[in-house]
Amino acid sequence: MSQYILLNRIRVQNANATAGFTWGFPAITHFLGFTHNLSRKLNQSDSYSGISLTGCAVISHEHHVHTYGKYGDRFTQVKSSYISTPKFDKGVMKTPSIIEEGKMNMTVSLLIEVEGRVGNATWVEQFVAWIEKQSLIQRLAGGTILDIADVKLVDTQEKRDRYALKGKLLPGFVLMDRSSSLEKRYQTLQQENPDAELLDAWLDFSAFKQQARPKYDLISKYLEKGFKQDEATYASLLQDWQKHLERVPYQQDSIPYLLKEHFSRLDAKKYKTLLAQWQQYLEPNEKTPADWERLPKPEARGYLVPLMVGYKAITPVYDNGEIANTRDSKTPVCFVEAVHSIGEWKSAHRLRTEADFAESIWRYDYQEHWYLCKQDTALEAMDEPNETTTEEAVISTDDDYEDD
């Protein structure tokens, strides 16, 4: 498919910034829900009933999460009661507790896939105006749409059209599905430790992990000073030492043999303090002074982020009348848990071919007990979609579900 509706530079205020275990950007389900609602309105209209919107790409241009604190780790909350009349208990006014929520302002573009036969230039102009009007009165990720810079029907078959489209998306970052990276990491952990769980692999991508490296400032100063005085002797030693420090995390078995041999020949009295630090570096214990280094993510290339990609059923489907406090009185009810995976923010300038644009489109993928959002890049790895292969690519908050 090469026809798309571009909603360029959508400014959204107070969008949801939390999704499952993650925060900082809305879940992909918000954007597909926005697209699906537009598609339903198209099907109900007289003029555009033959057109459907089947998926969308998400391009982020700007975002501001409503947080405060040293590391932006606390959400700015507003205590606004949903009860207009305060309650009194023994003469003391009682108000409901604050409902915690994370909000953000953002500017995004949506590239929405269009299926169906379009008309002439006049028809396209009216269709684009209709899409813009309907988009402005909808909410996106629970936030209010303040403005849309441009709405246009675009095609990616021709190279010049792709370049023009890419120019509109820059500067911006496209959200890509990297569930295959999560599956690969999980398989690696299983080889190292059969008891490793899928959650361990996901945390390797999402958690900020650190590991201690013993203090080495005296060692570096000694080698740098020696290099200045005797370059021929210390050049290889300093080079090996610098390469060793570049390796993260710290590993005792990665210390070069030439360095061990060199320090073993030093005068113990003359270099007492230096050799004490060297010995601690070789054989650290819980009392050894150390610096903390941030561990890299399993895949060094790419801006990988934790991502919520859908839901997994944890109960059977109930008739509406069996469950209290539902949204309406007709729709069946099923309780679900959030499903998490890994995504990557990729610069929009990397969208070069027609296939690149097609692969950036997120679509719904329905399976028994699963309601997921995926891209073609992830679906290609699953020849026959089923619950087992899905669990290898995404992590649910309830992996022990059993259907009664």
Side-chain angles (χ1 to χ4, degrees), residues 229-266:
Q229 296 175 350
D230 186 358
E231 182 175 342
T233 302
Y234 286 87
S236 59
L237 292 174
L238 182 59
Q239 184 178 11
D240 287 348
W241 176 246
Q242 291 173 341
K243 288 182 178 180
H244 166 72
L245 293 180
E246 291 174 357
R247 298 187 64 175
V248 178
Y250 161 78
Q251 295 176 348
Q252 292 173 266
D253 57 2
S254 68
I255 301 174
Y257 173 77
L258 289 178
L259 285 168
K260 294 180 180 179
E261 186 180 26
H262 175 82
F263 279 97
S264 67
R265 296 198 302 263
L266 294 182

Side-chain angles (χ1 to χ4, degrees), residues 64-85:
H64 300 281
V65 185
H66 298 174
T67 59
Y68 70 99
K70 186 175 181 180
Y71 299 103
D73 54 355
R74 300 177 183 178
F75 283 108
T76 304
Q77 304 289 337
V78 177
K79 185 164 184 174
S80 53
S81 173
Y82 63 90
I83 298 177
S84 57
T85 305

Side-chain angles (χ1 to χ4, degrees), residues 80-197:
S80 53
S81 173
Y82 63 90
I83 298 177
S84 57
T85 305
K87 294 184 177 180
F88 289 86
D89 184 10
K90 297 181 181 179
V92 180
M93 185 175 71
K94 299 287 186 178
T95 57
S97 301
I98 186 172
I99 301 175
E100 294 187 3
E101 55 184 10
K103 295 293 184 180
M104 65 179 295
N105 297 344
M106 63 181 183
T107 301
V108 296
S109 292
L110 296 183
L111 191 62
I112 301 176
E113 188 177 53
V114 179
E115 283 192 357
R117 185 177 179 180
V118 300
N120 55 27
T122 303
W123 185 96
V124 170
E125 184 179 348
Q126 295 173 349
F127 175 64
V128 167
W130 186 92
I131 289 289
E132 181 175 10
K133 179 181 178 181
Q134 296 299 323
S135 298
L136 286 170
I137 63 177
Q138 289 189 179
R139 284 183 172 268
L140 179 56
T144 303
I145 296 179
L146 303 179
D147 179 56
I148 302 177
D150 185 28
V151 180
K152 190 175 182 181
L153 184 66
V154 296
D155 196 296
T156 58
Q157 282 187 329
E158 298 295 333
K159 184 176 181 180
R160 64 174 181 272
D161 294 331
R162 293 196 296 269
Y163 272 77
L165 174 57
K166 187 163 59 174
K168 289 180 175 292
L169 299 179
L170 289 172
F173 293 86
V174 186
L175 184 59
M176 302 297 295
D177 184 5
R178 290 295 178 262
S179 54
S180 58
S181 298
L182 176 60
E183 182 179 356
K184 181 180 177 181
R185 178 59 179 170
Y186 179 52
Q187 293 173 350
T188 301
L189 291 181
Q190 284 275 293
Q191 294 174 0
E192 298 172 355
N193 177 17
D195 295 330
E197 298 180 355

